[in-house]
Amino acid sequence: TATATATTPFPSPSPGVDFCMYKELDIVFVIDGSGSVSEQTFNNMKQFVTAFLQVVPLRESELRVSAVLLSGIPETLFGFTTDTQSAINMINDLPYVTQRPSAAASTLEHVADNLLTSQAGYRGSGAVFAVTDGSSQEPAEEVRAAADNIRDANAQIVPIAFPELGNSELSYGLLLDYALSRRDVYSLDKLLASTQQQFQNTLIFNNLCQGVSLSTSSRSVFSSSVSSSASTSVVVPTTLTTSIAPQSSLSSSLIFTSSSSSSILSSTLFPTATFSTSATASLSSTIIPSSSTFASPSPSSS
């Protein structure tokens, strides 16, 4: 069967500045190769993985990736690696095959048993990006049990979802067999239609980053009056979008700087965002130089 080469919607990343401080994380892409997936959608899945690999740096001390094909007989496409180009080549070479059965539970069990283990080199913290419509020929309770086994291995499951064949809406009832919350579900189509900055500020920032973005091109300083009339600055990724993952909230590792430790951030600045009450304001200038790098403030005793 002929293969289609995936093309990324993003330009090659600029060397020098990482988008953020990345976690030490082992990533597994689960690519839905079942018969419910059209050839166009299959190529879109390959495009997503290629785009992901081109904007995220792979390093032994931080991020590594692997991939598994979801089908009647799950298949490990490649184990954990930091070789970006080899991973892209293997994804591009993945052929579209029609009428394969869908065994989501068996595939998730395959991930837990064959990748999220010390024998496979798993370092104990992971993320499984399941690119799928959520459908399976196996019982829903088996899919949920397999997903729980992945979480027991200290790996989160992040569905990158597309509608079932013939439908126009995501099937959250099926996707929540994988994920714990709707806010963990991202739309494949919207991710591919996003800019590189939006892609980073939603999917990458929410799931792979330790703290605030380091890239000057990917952050912005907002100022707002607060109840104490003190000036407050908050460092956030630019153009935070809620259209890709509508339920997502800002990370608790965002840095707040204020001339008053008792300042209250106005809820009108980011009305759809959730700010952690445990975030600790640190004394700082209200204007943050664009060349600065940031680290999460350590909690202060009161």
Side-chain angles (χ1 to χ4, degrees), residues 30-45:
V30 173
I31 300 172
D32 196 335
S34 65
S36 65
V37 177
S38 69
E39 185 170 9
Q40 179 60 59
T41 299
F42 191 75
N43 290 333
N44 287 348
M45 288 191 286

Side-chain angles (χ1 to χ4, degrees), residues 105-142:
S106 297
T107 300
L108 295 180
E109 287 290 359
H110 177 90
V111 170
D113 294 343
N114 294 278
L115 286 169
L116 303 183
T117 66
S118 57
Q119 292 87 346
Y122 179 55
R123 295 173 297 178
S125 183
V128 177
F129 291 90
V131 195
T132 180
D133 59 6
S135 65
S136 178
Q137 292 171 297
E138 296 174 317
E141 58 269 21
E142 292 184 12

Side-chain angles (χ1 to χ4, degrees), residues 15-36:
V17 180
D18 283 352
F19 169 71
C20 70
M21 294 175 61
Y22 292 100
K23 300 175 182 178
E24 182 181 274
L25 207 63
D26 290 329
I27 297 167
V28 183
F29 293 108
V30 173
I31 300 172
D32 196 335
S34 65
S36 65

Side-chain angles (χ1 to χ4, degrees), residues 52-293:
F52 188 107
L53 292 170
Q54 291 198 335
V55 299
V56 171
L58 303 181
R59 303 186 187 100
E60 283 293 339
S61 61
E62 294 175 337
L63 304 177
R64 305 185 306 172
V65 297
S66 61
V68 168
L69 182 69
L70 188 162
S71 61
I73 302 176
E75 176 187 352
T76 298
L77 302 174
F78 54 89
F80 293 121
T81 183
T82 57
D83 189 333
T84 298
Q85 192 56 55
S86 291
I88 289 174
N89 291 343
M90 284 184 275
I91 294 299
N92 280 336
D93 290 342
L94 190 60
Y96 175 72
V97 178
T98 61
Q99 299 181 336
R100 278 190 290 215
S102 176
S106 297
T107 300
L108 295 180
E109 287 290 359
H110 177 90
V111 170
D113 294 343
N114 294 278
L115 286 169
L116 303 183
T117 66
S118 57
Q119 292 87 346
Y122 179 55
R123 295 173 297 178
S125 183
V128 177
F129 291 90
V131 195
T132 180
D133 59 6
S135 65
S136 178
Q137 292 171 297
E138 296 174 317
E141 58 269 21
E142 292 184 12
V143 178
R144 289 192 291 269
D148 286 341
N149 288 340
I150 285 178
R151 283 185 280 270
D152 287 345
N154 196 35
Q156 62 177 326
I157 302 180
V158 183
I160 308 299
F162 50 89
E164 291 182 275
L165 198 62
N167 294 337
S168 59
E169 301 293 332
L170 299 181
S171 299
Y172 281 102
L174 299 174
L175 294 164
L176 291 179
D177 290 337
Y178 291 77
L180 294 175
S181 167
R182 287 171 68 109
R183 72 178 179 181
D184 295 326
V185 178
Y186 293 77
S187 164
L188 173 64
D189 290 341
K190 289 179 180 178
L191 283 170
L192 291 178
S194 67
T195 65
Q196 179 174 335
Q197 185 172 308
Q198 290 170 332
F199 188 94
Q200 289 174 313
N201 288 345
T202 52
L203 183 71
I204 304 304
F205 186 83
N206 289 340
N207 296 288
L208 305 184
C209 296
Q210 294 187 48
V212 73
S213 165
L214 300 178
S215 170
T216 56
S217 64
S218 302
R219 66 170 182 260
S220 177
V221 178
F222 295 81
S223 295
S224 171
S225 297
V226 292
S227 58
S228 64
S229 75
S231 178
T232 299
S233 299
V234 56
V235 182
V236 299
T238 308
T239 323
L240 182 73
T241 176
T242 58
S243 63
I244 296 173
Q247 307 297 322
S248 64
S249 60
L250 292 182
S251 169
S252 60
S253 58
L254 289 172
I255 298 172
F256 300 92
T257 61
S258 172
S259 58
S260 169
S261 61
S262 61
S263 297
I264 301 172
L265 185 69
S266 170
S267 62
T268 59
L269 186 58
F270 297 104
T272 61
T274 301
F275 293 89
S276 171
T277 56
S278 64
T280 305
S282 61
L283 210 60
S284 178
S285 168
T286 58
I287 299 177
I288 302 174
S290 61
S291 60
S292 298
T293 58

